[in-house]
DNA sequence: ATCATTGCAAAAGATTTGCAAGGTC
DNA sequence: GACCTTGCAAATCTTTTGCAATGAT
């Protein structure tokens, strides 16, 4: 799952690794090898991923640096709590992306190639806040996914049968 | 899960029941008692629901009119394919709502009471189409969920611990 | 030494599927 | 009668959990 990264990175004072260390310390949790390894992998590339994608890239059982599946899931949740990752759902599974040092944005989802493309829109934020105000609703966040077919897939006429996508 | 239904119903020429019958016939599928009963329940009230909500309202095993869980799931998928229901995900489970005869809209999701509120916004559609055009993306749909706390829950100060919501 | 973390195996929750029995055309 | 549909039981898929062993401070 590769990504269109035209968005600017926000200035942050700490690396993800350090930020997580700080978070762990503040909670009396330990900064273990498994946690550091996971943070390193997760922040080594700017991509959307799910637990399986991540596990595939990690050493297998028996190899050095192996991290078990439960630990991957546990750590992903910790990273979300720490504000380093954002989590959302697509087609029935949890998808993660960088949050720390990365601006708020939304997604275009290609139903053919399953790729996610990002975009930023101030108008959307204003629209959101205005709708919320009309409903006397206190906003904590939002999630917009526009689905369709990306340029590349539109070109290649290869018609695959459309699945019942969850958007 | 109750709903704010201020939106107008679209004029349609066939009842949901008839529309589904037509769909089934066109596919060589049979309009069975179970299917008719499910359509009747689903379209008897305008609510967001999931498979469990629906099953709870149906006769239990042993009672007349019982429909098994697999059949409920199978039929919900058929209703989505037929364009009678729309399906999306919230907090890890599939949620359904009327599609046939009901206008496009989006949702405000209250993290406290889990209620969904609907709203319509032409500006959002325009924004969506404009973003898609910029990315040469062919839009088939979108899903916007604004999360936060509804007016009623804001008033009642009962603070429950916030869960890690998937929005 | 104390207490958090890990991996394993198993559980959990939602949804789907194989298949024999039953229903519809 | 041909073939679709149903219900049952079991499988699947993703994620979580109990627990004994291991590791960090």
């Amino acid at each position: 799952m590769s990504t269109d990264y035209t968005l600017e990175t926000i200035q942050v004072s700490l690396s993800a690794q350090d930020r997580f260390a700080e978070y762990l310390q503040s909670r009396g949790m330990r900064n273990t090898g498994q946690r550091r390894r996971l943070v390193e992998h997760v922040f080594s590339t700017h991509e959307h991923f799910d637990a399986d994608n991540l596990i595939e890239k990690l050493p297998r059982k028996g190899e050095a640096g192996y991290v078990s599946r439960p630990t991957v899931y546990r750590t992903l949740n910790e990273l979300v709590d720490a504000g380093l990752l954002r989590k959302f759902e697509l087609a029935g599974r949890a998808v993660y992306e960088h949050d720390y040092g990365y601006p708020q944005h939304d997604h275009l989802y290609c139903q053919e190639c399953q790729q996610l493309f990002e975009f930023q829109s101030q108008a959307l934020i204003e629209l959101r806040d205005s709708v919320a105000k009309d409903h006397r609703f206190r906003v904590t966040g939002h999630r917009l996914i526009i689905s369709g077919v990306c340029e590349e897939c539109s070109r290649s006429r290869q018609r695959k049968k459309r699945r019942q996508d969850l958007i």
Side-chain angles (χ1 to χ4, degrees), chain A:
Chain A
M1 208 183 268
S2 92
T3 308
D4 177 60
Y5 265 94
T6 53
L7 307 186
E8 303 274 314
T9 298
I10 290 171
Q11 280 304 342
V12 288
S13 43
L14 295 176
S15 69
Q17 201 68 258
D18 291 346
R19 179 72 193 74
F20 193 42
E22 200 178 57
Y23 168 87
L24 291 171
Q25 181 147 57
S26 76
R27 302 238 178 162
M29 296 165 79
R30 288 164 188 175
N31 195 354
T32 63
Q34 284 91 329
R35 284 180 179 147
R36 275 192 300 272
R37 252 171 282 150
L38 286 173
V39 171
E40 188 191 322
H41 271 87
V42 163
F43 285 90
S44 66
T45 54
H46 258 317
E47 278 175 2
H48 297 95
F49 64 95
D50 59 28
D52 265 329
N53 298 155
L54 177 55
I55 288 167
E56 277 167 26
K57 296 200 307 182
L58 294 168
R60 317 246 166 272
K61 192 186 299 197
E63 297 175 12
Y66 169 69
V67 182
S68 70
R69 182 170 285 270
T71 296
V72 169
Y73 277 100
R74 279 186 284 238
T75 306
L76 286 173
N77 283 333
E78 286 154 8
L79 289 169
V80 171
D81 285 341
L84 295 196
L85 291 180
R86 223 172 293 149
K87 177 184 188 176
F88 58 102
E89 271 188 38
L90 203 57
R93 58 198 319 167
V95 176
Y96 299 86
E97 64 179 5
H98 296 180
D99 190 356
Y100 184 65
Y102 203 70
Q104 156 74 41
H105 59 271
D106 287 280
H107 298 98
L108 292 150
Y109 173 61
C110 176
Q111 300 167 333
E112 300 294 330
C113 64
Q114 274 77 46
Q115 222 174 138
L116 282 169
F117 302 86
E118 304 184 345
F119 70 92
Q120 246 180 318
S121 167
Q122 184 53 36
L124 174 61
I125 306 295
E126 285 161 18
L127 194 157
R128 174 194 80 178
D129 292 343
S130 149
V131 167
K133 195 176 174 193
D134 291 348
H135 287 74
R136 294 182 190 64
F137 203 85
R138 182 158 48 81
V139 175
T140 59
H142 75 272
R143 181 68 59 190
L144 169 62
I145 297 179
I146 300 175
S147 18
V149 182
C150 74
E151 189 180 11
E152 197 185 338
C153 290
S154 281
R155 271 205 250 280
S156 64
R157 293 283 159 71
Q158 309 167 21
R159 309 208 175 288
K160 301 158 189 168
K161 54 173 169 286
R162 171 107 26 98
R163 295 171 309 122
Q164 185 179 297
D165 277 304
L166 284 176
I167 63 173

